[in-house]
Amino acid sequence: MDIFHNNPMLAGVRQMLGAFAKQQIRPIADQHDRDESMPWDLMKMAQGFGMTQTAVVDGRKALTGKDEEGDAAKPKSQARIGCAGSEELAYGCAGICLAIGGSGLAASPVARMGTEEQQQEFRRLLKGDDDHGHIKVAAMALSEPSTGSDISGLSTVARPDGDHFVINGHKQWITNGASASVYVVWANTDPSAGRAGVRGFIVARGTPGLVPGRKETKLGIRASETAQVHFEDCRVHKDMLLGGGATSEGLSDTKKMLDSTRPMVGAQAVGIARAAFDYLVERVQGGTMQGTPLAHHQRVAFELAEMEMEIQAARALVHKAAWMADHNMDNVRMASMAKAYGAKVAQDVTSRALTLLGEEALESGHPVEKWYRDAKIYDIFEGTGQIQRRIIARSIFGVNPT
Amino acid sequence: MDFALDDEQTLIAQTVRRFVDKDVRAWAADADRAGAAPPRLTAVAGDLGFFLDAVPEASGGMLDGPYSHLRRAVRGHELGRGCAGMAALLETNVEPALAVGRWGSAAAAEALFGSLSAGGLATTARDSRGTLDISRDADGLRVTGKLGPVPALGTARHVLLMARCGDEPVLALIDTAGGRRAPFVPSGWRAAAWGTLTLEAASVPAAMILARGPAAADATAEVLTWYKVSLAARAAGVAVSAMEHARKYADERVQFGRPIGHFESLIRLRDDADTGAAAVRLMALHAAWQADRVKDDSTRAAAHDAASRARVMAGDVVDRATVDAVQILGGYGFVNDYPVEKLMRDARAFAQLLGDERFDRILAVRAQQGA
């Protein structure tokens, strides 16, 4: 387990992205939270650090200079690197972390299921800048207004029509939904087959019938854009059906993909908790209560001790789940535990920090107030806390967890 | 024991509930976005007896006889169901008015009640960390430092200040004209006209000092009792509101072939929140009942302890209930088209205003121990 010794690769990622988070992300986090705006300039800068919009498709080469091990049976380190990096970026700002990594949600199924031609097309669609001079980003369009946790109930339909599919439906809570240059859209090609008929499509911005919708005003992660996307008789060539004509597990394959990404989501939650913890430690070290240093009060000191235990435990779960993914082990239970517990710890730590800080942290945009708002989404997206517990419970009883 | 509300309390609850359901809830989202209560609030609430209910009749108010904290808790619970920010604004005059009526000089009464009768507001601030620099100035005080942020300080003419001058507790009425006021944008209670007041060697005349020394410690304990009872009652109302919204959504939202409200995990979330809200309401009413019966050191301490316990529980319960309401609404709960994300932001002030209640309770015990 790499968290128990000084793995040079992970240490390097932590150091590089930790410095990036402190020096580049933190100073602009409050402004993008207030404006609910994407940090386009920073996203462009992040590309220089290897955080490209196609990094997931390209493997880890862009980030580390090394190609991923070709032998599928050999251990990799992508999930662990992803966790180490995600924690650092979210330590800076979870919303900006998601803005930088948002395209990865769409890139993952392309990397996992896409043909070589589709991966090339995905890369091509993300090359250069968009009409606003921003880097191009991608969006994964899965959730729908009536389909949140129960993704097998998708109502968006892709009807075959000659060499094309015609997509109709509405998508909700889509990261990068308003600005994306390319979408990976999930639609049912055969409603009579239920979830087995759900397949993914690569759809370029500007395709007639693809209508980016309203941007949402959110409680937190405001630097990450969330929007509706509408498909109205949107014709997509069959070549853009992920996996092509080959038999694919479609949505089930996507669910498996979540087993490797959930630890990263848990790692982001750990990053938020650590941010609040560090802020509180610094504040406590400089503060007094009625003339006595705050750190001398057990009420405060023991709260910090509890927080530190929770953060360390959450990080251990995250890295164990990632380590299992990198070693091709079945990590479905551990991945859900890492995600669910990370979310719980982020919420607990930020809430308790607010209580201890009292009136000074009531201001909108106070760092801990912001982290408290940001933390909540980690119990909702990428499978709610309830869904994670369902997976864990089913796994305990030997039932197919997904 | 009789847990039923009497006729007058029932009438208050029903009247305020109608006001909340018809007006306050309709205004709440816009007030949150605008960061200000609607102008109509003052007129409508004034007709219902808010703002002047703790001002003596002889001074232009509506208080004839002893003030009932029990009635205030009943209405506070209903107000909390509507909007925590507007509720804070509607309740802001009570502590200053009661304190000045009880311990204030004729000059303090004239200044405060004159302002309130003319439609002004007052608020309450506590220097919980001991960061204000307060020194004696002849019979008066000189105050340097920042008050707040607290609700209503963005517009209030007077602040009831609980602080210490060296080791001596003081309770004083501060005229905000003597300082530099700044607006404050809070996370929650955004309709409550928050602000801060920076004082630079501001002079507080002796006539504006309501109490000092042991008398101020007792008076401060009573003021905090009133404030905490009101906070707890309102917090219970916010928790109830969160679960009303969550229940409606959970009964309509279908996932995995049935309403999500039928899943045991969500039933438990709702049930825990309902249980907590009911407990906090009862604790607030009990503390209010005790506050109405303070007659000596013993009853004062009992009332303060009950209010403090209610406030600790209220902070925990309203935080949990609103976070769980967002959880039940899922993605919809996280966007501001639905009211629960506002409630989650509103919940925080109940635990953060006046400082950390658990810390207060520990310090109180240590004081009793002579530590």
Side-chain angles (χ1 to χ4, degrees):
Chain A
M1 295 252 323
D2 291 311
I3 55 169
F4 297 134
H5 67 86
N6 189 21
N7 177 306
M9 175 84 78
L10 295 187
V13 169
R14 280 190 189 286
Q15 191 174 22
M16 181 176 76
L17 295 185
F20 180 72
K22 283 177 188 157
Q23 293 163 17
Q24 304 295 339
I25 294 179
R26 276 285 173 86
I28 63 170
D30 177 51
Q31 194 61 47
H32 286 290
D33 178 64
R34 284 182 198 280
D35 297 347
E36 303 187 38
S37 58
M38 295 266 277
W40 292 109
D41 292 343
L42 187 86
M43 291 161 68
K44 193 169 270 189
M45 183 194 297
Q47 287 192 326
F49 286 84
M51 290 176 276
T52 66
Q53 303 305 301
T54 57
V56 177
V57 178
D58 300 336
R60 69 179 187 182
K61 185 175 181 181
L63 186 64
T64 65
K66 290 184 180 178
D67 279 319
E68 195 55 270
E69 172 59 59
D71 183 349
K74 286 192 176 177
K76 300 172 175 59
S77 58
Q78 198 151 326
R80 280 168 293 167
I81 289 172
C83 287
S86 294
E87 181 185 328
E88 295 304 322
L89 293 176
Y91 181 83
C93 170
I96 292 177
C97 170
L98 291 164
I100 291 171
S103 294
L105 296 170
S108 291
V110 175
R112 193 177 177 96
M113 292 170 242
T115 62
E116 185 58 39
E117 292 75 20
Q118 288 170 343
Q119 292 181 6
Q120 287 299 337
E121 176 66 359
F122 187 77
R123 286 191 188 94
R124 188 188 68 77
L125 289 168
L126 286 173
K127 257 202 183 103
D129 292 345
D130 67 12
D131 295 342
H132 303 284
H134 300 146
I135 64 165
K136 289 182 177 175
V137 294
M140 161 111 151
L142 175 61
S143 297
E144 298 179 356
S146 60
T147 308
S149 294
D150 182 12
I151 54 178
S152 60
L154 292 180
S155 63
T156 296
V157 172
R159 175 175 52 81
D161 183 18
D163 286 342
H164 290 77
F165 284 88
V166 180
I167 302 176
N168 279 286
H170 304 283
K171 297 292 183 178
Q172 184 103 7
W173 307 296
I174 306 306
T175 300
N176 295 341
S179 301
S181 294
V182 56
Y183 296 78
V184 173
V185 185
W186 297 88
N188 204 324
T189 56
D190 180 7
S192 66
R195 61 195 283 181
V198 175
R199 301 291 296 272
F201 296 85
I202 297 173
V203 185
R205 187 184 189 86
T207 302
L210 190 167
V211 183
R214 191 189 62 155
K215 186 180 156 190
E216 306 284 5
T217 299
K218 308 194 295 291
L219 177 66
I221 56 163
R222 292 173 173 169
S224 169
E225 175 186 280
T226 306
Q228 301 168 358
V229 185
H230 310 290
F231 295 88
E232 298 162 359
D233 290 331
C234 181
R235 290 177 69 82
V236 179
H237 196 274
K238 65 181 183 183
D239 288 350
M240 291 299 105
L241 172 66
L242 277 184
T247 304
S248 165
E249 293 181 76
L251 193 60
S252 300
D253 214 27
T254 301
K255 284 180 153 184
K256 283 181 193 165
M257 183 184 70
L258 295 175
D259 297 341
S260 60
T261 58
R262 276 185 181 137
M264 273 191 274
V265 178
Q268 290 171 26
V270 171
I272 295 173
R274 208 183 95 217
F277 174 80
D278 284 357
Y279 184 96
L280 192 59
V281 168
E282 193 172 318
R283 184 69 185 76
V284 164
Q285 284 175 331
T288 60
M289 172 64 86
Q290 306 295 356
T292 307
L294 280 169
H296 292 192
H297 291 282
Q298 288 187 347
R299 159 71 181 137
V300 178
F302 281 25
E303 281 273 1
L304 286 166
E306 289 287 340
M307 292 178 191
E308 173 67 350
M309 284 192 278
E310 289 181 6
I311 291 167
Q312 292 290 346
R315 185 187 287 124
L317 273 177
V318 160
H319 279 265
K320 181 168 184 187
W323 179 85
M324 291 173 77
D326 284 342
H327 287 75
N328 302 307
M329 297 164 72
D330 178 4
N331 76 339
V332 60
R333 186 196 302 188
M334 196 59 63
S336 286
M337 288 165 64
K339 197 268 183 185
Y341 192 67
K344 178 177 184 298
V345 168
Q347 292 175 87
D348 285 352
V349 168
T350 52
S351 171
R352 286 151 70 176
L354 282 178
T355 299
L356 288 173
L357 289 166
E359 289 170 347
E360 73 174 64
L362 283 168
E363 187 169 21
S364 178
H366 182 284
V368 182
E369 184 271 345
K370 175 189 173 297
W371 294 326
Y372 176 73
R373 289 188 281 104
D374 288 345
K376 183 62 210 162
I377 196 63
Y378 287 85
D379 213 11
I380 296 174
F381 71 177
E382 298 285 311
T384 64
Q386 285 70 34
I387 291 295
Q388 305 308 328
R389 283 159 179 81
R390 181 174 183 263
I391 291 170
I392 297 162
R394 287 168 70 96
S395 165
I396 290 169
F397 294 112
V399 180
N400 176 9
T402 57
Chain B
M1 291 178 76
D2 183 356
F3 287 98
L5 300 183
D6 64 24
D7 289 345
E8 188 167 2
Q9 292 156 355
T10 301
L11 181 63
I12 289 169
Q14 289 173 342
T15 304
V16 177
R17 178 166 286 229
R18 273 197 301 274
F19 168 52
V20 161
D21 288 342
K22 176 174 174 287
D23 293 324
V24 177
R25 282 192 164 183
W27 296 333
D30 286 342
D32 180 64
R33 289 189 195 104
R40 280 192 299 156
L41 176 71
T42 305
V44 178
D47 288 345
L48 291 172
F50 288 99
F51 301 119
L52 293 176
D53 63 309
V55 176
E57 250 184 3
S59 299
M62 302 170 68
L63 182 61
D64 178 20
Y67 189 81
S68 171
H69 293 282
L70 198 47
R71 281 183 220 151
R72 187 191 189 197
V74 167
R75 87 175 179 198
H77 182 258
E78 297 300 332
L79 287 175
R81 281 185 61 251
C83 171
M86 282 186 256
L89 216 45
L90 297 178
E91 296 284 14
T92 189
N93 289 346
V94 173
E95 280 76 18
L98 290 181
V100 167
R102 181 91 165 271
W103 301 292
S105 64
E110 186 180 343
L112 180 70
F113 297 149
S115 167
L116 298 183
S117 300
L121 293 179
T123 189
T124 302
R126 179 193 186 198
D127 182 25
S128 57
R129 290 257 169 93
T131 55
L132 288 179
D133 180 10
I134 303 179
S135 58
R136 291 173 183 275
D137 180 31
D139 290 338
L141 301 170
R142 281 212 178 269
V143 183
T144 297
K146 190 162 89 172
L147 304 188
V150 291
L153 190 48
T155 57
R157 174 65 193 269
H158 292 98
V159 184
L160 177 66
L161 174 64
M162 297 170 277
R164 297 179 86 87
C165 174
D167 289 335
E168 182 184 51
V170 291
L171 184 68
L173 188 68
I174 307 290
D175 188 333
T176 58
R180 196 172 64 254
R181 204 157 38 188
F184 177 85
V185 180
S187 179
W189 297 22
R190 288 170 56 87
W194 290 68
T196 60
L197 180 72
T198 300
L199 302 169
E200 290 170 9
S203 174
V204 181
M208 295 298 148
I209 301 173
L210 277 56
R212 58 203 317 168
D218 290 346
T220 297
E222 282 206 52
V223 173
L224 287 173
T225 297
W226 308 335
Y227 202 147
K228 290 171 183 177
V229 167
S230 179
L231 280 177
R234 284 180 263 158
V238 173
V240 167
S241 175
M243 281 303 125
E244 286 175 355
H245 292 298
R247 181 172 293 106
K248 181 172 186 297
Y249 179 85
D251 288 344
E252 294 170 356
R253 175 77 166 174
V254 174
Q255 296 280 274
F256 302 104
R258 53 181 163 152
I260 61 171
H262 291 195
F263 287 97
E264 289 179 13
S265 62
L266 296 198
I267 291 172
R268 187 194 153 188
L269 287 187
R270 285 163 42 185
D271 193 52
D272 283 355
D274 289 344
T275 303
V280 170
R281 178 177 174 272
L282 283 175
M283 291 176 82
L285 293 176
H286 176 243
W289 180 83
Q290 289 197 296
D292 286 340
R293 280 155 184 75
V294 170
K295 58 180 188 298
D296 53 26
D297 289 350
S298 170
T299 50
R300 182 183 303 110
H304 186 230
D305 191 47
S308 172
R309 287 172 194 269
R311 198 260 175 138
V312 166
M313 182 69 95
D316 291 349
V317 164
V318 73
D319 187 39
R320 189 74 261 156
T322 54
V323 167
D324 285 345
V326 171
Q327 187 69 23
I328 289 170
L329 267 73
Y332 287 112
F334 201 69
V335 298
N336 84 346
D337 291 345
Y338 287 77
V340 290
E341 70 88 26
K342 170 187 178 293
L343 298 180
M344 184 174 147
R345 288 184 284 109
D346 284 345
R348 288 305 321 172
F350 291 106
Q352 290 173 240
L353 257 182
L354 302 174
D356 176 14
E357 190 68 37
R358 284 191 168 85
F359 214 148
D360 266 9
R361 295 182 61 74
I362 290 167
L363 294 177
V365 171
R366 293 191 68 182
Q368 287 169 8
Q369 294 167 337

